[in-house]
């Protein structure tokens, strides 16, 4: 990623993000990227990996011993698979995982790692289960964290939570969202369809989460068949021009 200029980064820091000066951040702390949401997500993941490691881990510790011995310790695989099933059920009580309109939280446990491939005669002493949660604002992360902590304590598991952020939603009264809706309504002659962007939305990086994901339509997002829907490009461009006119009125 090219560095760019200090002047641009200073504007981003002071005018766009409006970061408090007492935090001591400088233009060198600003990361600019080309590639849209995907580039930002990769940068965000890199910062997490450099600073803390994984996003959320449930860890089981054991003892290394010969697996054929009668006194060999409990199987860490069984412990983590049980934790996977139990937490899916328990966290589901605090999460909106099903909704007719699609506005719902997402819970995934994307990986489980136990032992070393090719080692069969020694029981592992470390295993980890990844927990990935994308909540909508209505779901209470404080209750979810308490559920996780209580479960891990009761089952002698270690819990590491490195990132925990509430869900975001752009306010319906946001003047810029209103301007965008008015523009689309005028150009299309129809009422705008407001959807919900759940997985890793780039709107999270907007100040106070007050952003929307908007543009031309796509087919098969994040799949090997991903591509633009060509007929949607021109209407999107015209709406962008109309939005600029609306924003001039807001700024006047």
């Amino acid at each position: 990623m090219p560095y760019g200029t200090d002047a641009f980064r200073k504007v981003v820091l002071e005018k766009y993000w409006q970061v408090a000066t007492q935090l001591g951040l400088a233009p060198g702390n600003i990361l600019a990227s080309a590639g849209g949401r995907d580039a930002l997500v990769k940068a965000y993941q890199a910062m997490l990996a450099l600073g803390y490691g994984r996003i959320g881990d449930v860890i089981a510790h054991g003892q290394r011993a010969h697996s054929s011995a009668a006194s060999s310790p409990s199987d860490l695989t069984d412990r983590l698979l049980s934790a996977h099933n139990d937490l899916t059920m328990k966290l589901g009580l605090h999460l909106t995982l099903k909704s007719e309109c699609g506005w719902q939280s997402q819970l995934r446990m994307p990986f489980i790692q136990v032992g070393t491939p090719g080692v069969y005669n020694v029981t592992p002493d470390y295993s980890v289960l990844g927990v990935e949660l994308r909540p909508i604002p209505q779901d209470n992360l404080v209750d979810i964290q308490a559920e996780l902590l209580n479960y891990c304590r009761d089952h002698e598991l270690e819990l590491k939570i490195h990132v925990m952020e509430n869900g975001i939603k752009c306010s319906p009264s946001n003047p810029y969202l209103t301007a965008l809706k008015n523009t689309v309504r005028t150009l299309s002659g129809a009422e705008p369809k407001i959807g919900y962007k759940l997985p890793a939305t780039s709107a999270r990086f907007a100040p106070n989460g007050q952003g929307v994901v908007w543009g031309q339509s796509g087919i098969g997002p994040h799949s090997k068949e991903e591509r633009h829907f060509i007929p949607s490009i021109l209407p999107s461009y015209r709406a962008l021009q109309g939005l600029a006119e609306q924003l001039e009125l807001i700024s006047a």
Side-chain angles (χ1 to χ4, degrees):
M1 299 178 185
Y3 181 84
T5 67
D6 280 340
F8 168 76
R9 290 165 181 262
K10 191 171 187 294
V11 170
V12 171
L13 189 68
E14 298 178 357
K15 303 297 184 182
Y16 182 73
W17 287 108
Q18 300 179 5
V19 174
T21 55
Q22 60 265 32
L23 293 178
L25 297 179
N29 298 110
I30 300 299
L31 177 67
S33 67
R37 193 284 309 276
D38 290 342
L40 287 172
V41 169
K42 289 183 183 299
Y44 190 53
Q45 290 174 337
M47 288 187 288
L48 292 176
L50 291 171
Y52 301 103
R54 301 182 180 92
I55 294 176
D57 294 342
V58 173
I59 300 169
H61 295 280
Q63 296 179 348
R64 295 181 68 83
H66 202 291
S67 57
S68 65
S71 59
S72 61
S74 60
D75 192 324
L76 294 187
T77 303
D78 287 342
R79 291 181 63 189
L80 281 193
L81 289 178
S82 294
H84 177 284
N85 295 334
D86 292 344
L87 290 175
T88 299
M89 179 188 67
K90 289 179 176 293
L91 297 183
L93 299 176
H94 300 279
L95 294 169
T96 307
L97 296 178
K98 291 184 179 180
S99 172
E100 292 184 359
C101 68
W103 184 234
Q104 60 197 43
S105 293
Q106 186 181 70
L107 173 64
R108 292 285 187 273
M109 299 188 189
F111 64 85
I112 180 171
Q113 180 178 337
V114 183
T116 303
V119 178
Y120 295 96
N121 62 339
V122 178
T123 57
D125 59 355
Y126 180 89
S127 59
V128 58
L129 171 68
V131 179
E132 184 179 26
L133 172 64
R134 296 189 176 102
I136 57 176
Q138 295 94 315
D139 289 342
N140 191 333
L141 282 184
V142 174
D143 293 341
I144 294 170
Q145 182 183 24
E147 189 72 67
L148 278 168
L149 289 169
N150 291 335
Y151 180 87
C152 290
R153 182 194 63 234
D154 294 343
H155 292 80
E156 298 182 342
L157 299 169
E158 180 184 354
L159 176 65
K160 288 186 177 180
I161 300 179
H162 303 303
V163 178
M164 188 176 77
E165 299 177 346
N166 288 317
I168 61 168
K169 183 178 181 181
C170 186
S171 171
S173 60
N174 185 297
Y176 299 101
L177 176 59
T178 300
L180 177 59
K181 290 166 63 177
N182 288 339
T183 301
V184 173
R185 185 182 294 112
T186 299
L187 292 174
S188 67
E191 190 65 22
K193 295 180 180 179
I194 304 298
Y196 301 100
K197 178 74 173 179
L198 293 176
T201 172
S202 53
R204 176 175 300 282
F205 299 100
N208 300 316
Q210 292 301 290
V212 296
V213 179
W214 169 77
Q216 66 266 28
S217 302
I219 299 173
H222 305 297
S223 72
K224 65 179 181 179
E225 303 295 338
E226 181 175 10
R227 58 196 185 275
H228 290 300
F229 182 58
I230 301 299
S232 72
I233 295 178
L234 183 58
S236 175
Y237 179 72
R238 288 173 175 165
L240 185 61
Q241 290 181 309
L243 177 61
E245 297 172 0
Q246 289 281 331
L247 294 181
E248 288 181 354
L249 296 176
I250 292 177
S251 302

